[in-house]
C-alpha cells in the first residue's frame, strides 16, 4: 500500500497509529513490573474466568502497548505467543520508547531490577540528522527495550 492509499482518518481516542503486543508467561507480574520499572500506566486490564490476564493496555504518554499471556486459554484460536525465556532468550521485536531523561530513566529501571544491556550513550547520526541518548534494558522475561532521548534535532 503506497502513501496515496494510506488511511487519513484519525485513530480512535487514546490510540496511536501502531501499537505492539508483547507476551509473557506471567502477564500479571509483567504488568506490575513494567509500570514500576519503566513508568507505564494501566489503561485497561481484562481478567478471564480464572482470574488470569487475557488482555491489557498500558500507556506511557501517547505510547500504548498491549500485554498478554502466552497461554491464551480464552482464545478459540490462540496466537503462537512465547516469552523470550521459553525460546532461549530469542526475541522477535525490541520495543523503543522516547523518554524525557534517558539517564534518570535508566537508573530507575536498574533500581527496579531491569538488566541494563547497554548503558546510556549518545549516538550522533550527523548534522543533517539527529543525536539521541539511549540505553537498552531487558525485562525479567527477556524482552528488550530501547529508551531514547532526543538531544539534538536535524540541522541544529
Amino acid at each position: 500500500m503506497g502513501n496515496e492509499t494510506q488511511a487519513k482518518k484519525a485513530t480512535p481516542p487514546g490510540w496511536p497509529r501502531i501499537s505492539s503486543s508483547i507476551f509473557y508467561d506471567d502477564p500479571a507480574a509483567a504488568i506490575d513490573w513494567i509500570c514500576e520499572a519503566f513508568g507505564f500506566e494501566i489503561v485497561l486490564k481484562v481478567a478471564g474466568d480464572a482470574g488470569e490476564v487475557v488482555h491489557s493496555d498500558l500507556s506511557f504518554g501517547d505510547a500504548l502497548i498491549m500485554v498478554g499471556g502466552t497461554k491464551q486459554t480464552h482464545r478459540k484460536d490462540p496466537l503462537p505467543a512465547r516469552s523470550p525465556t521459553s525460546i532461549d532468550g530469542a526475541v522477535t521485536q525490541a520495543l523503543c520508547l522516547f523518554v524525557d531523561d534517558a539517564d534518570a530513566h535508566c537508573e530507575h529501571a536498574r533500581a527496579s531490577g531491569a538488566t541494563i544491556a547497554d548503558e546510556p550513550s549518545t549516538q550522533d547520526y550527523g548534522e543533517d540528522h539527529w543525536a539521541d541518548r539511549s540505553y537498552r534494558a531487558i525485562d525479567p522475561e527477556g524482552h528488550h527495550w530501547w529508551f531514547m532521548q532526543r538531544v539534538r534535532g536535524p540541522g541544529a
Side-chain angles (χ1 to χ4, degrees):
M1 179 184 304
N3 285 341
E4 67 280 355
T5 59
Q6 288 181 353
K8 305 288 186 211
K9 293 181 181 178
T11 60
W15 278 83
R17 184 64 63 184
I18 188 170
S19 180
S20 185
S21 295
I22 52 178
F23 299 94
Y24 291 86
D25 290 332
D26 187 348
I31 290 166
D32 291 344
W33 191 89
I34 291 167
C35 290
E36 167 56 33
F38 295 155
F40 280 78
E41 295 179 356
I42 297 170
V43 175
L44 174 70
K45 185 163 53 171
V46 179
D49 294 338
E52 75 282 12
V53 174
V54 297
H55 177 81
S56 71
D57 298 339
L58 307 181
S59 68
F60 186 101
D62 60 358
L64 182 76
I65 61 170
M66 294 171 279
V67 172
T70 56
K71 296 183 183 45
Q72 300 183 23
T73 56
H74 64 285
R75 292 181 61 103
K76 180 180 176 186
D77 185 20
L79 296 171
R82 301 289 180 269
S83 169
T85 56
S86 70
I87 51 175
D88 298 324
V91 295
T92 59
Q93 69 176 341
L95 299 161
C96 180
L97 182 72
F98 275 94
V99 296
D100 293 337
D101 182 334
D103 293 281
H105 194 274
C106 179
E107 288 312 309
H108 181 81
R110 185 190 322 272
S112 297
T115 299
I116 305 304
D118 294 314
E119 293 291 332
S121 64
T122 301
Q123 294 73 43
D124 191 327
Y125 299 101
E127 65 182 47
D128 290 339
H129 300 288
W130 59 87
D132 289 337
R133 185 143 180 88
S134 63
Y135 78 96
R136 181 170 53 111
I138 303 172
D139 72 25
E141 287 199 29
H143 293 280
H144 290 240
W145 299 73
W146 287 97
F147 295 96
M148 302 185 310
Q149 170 190 353
R150 181 67 36 98
V151 295
R152 183 184 50 76

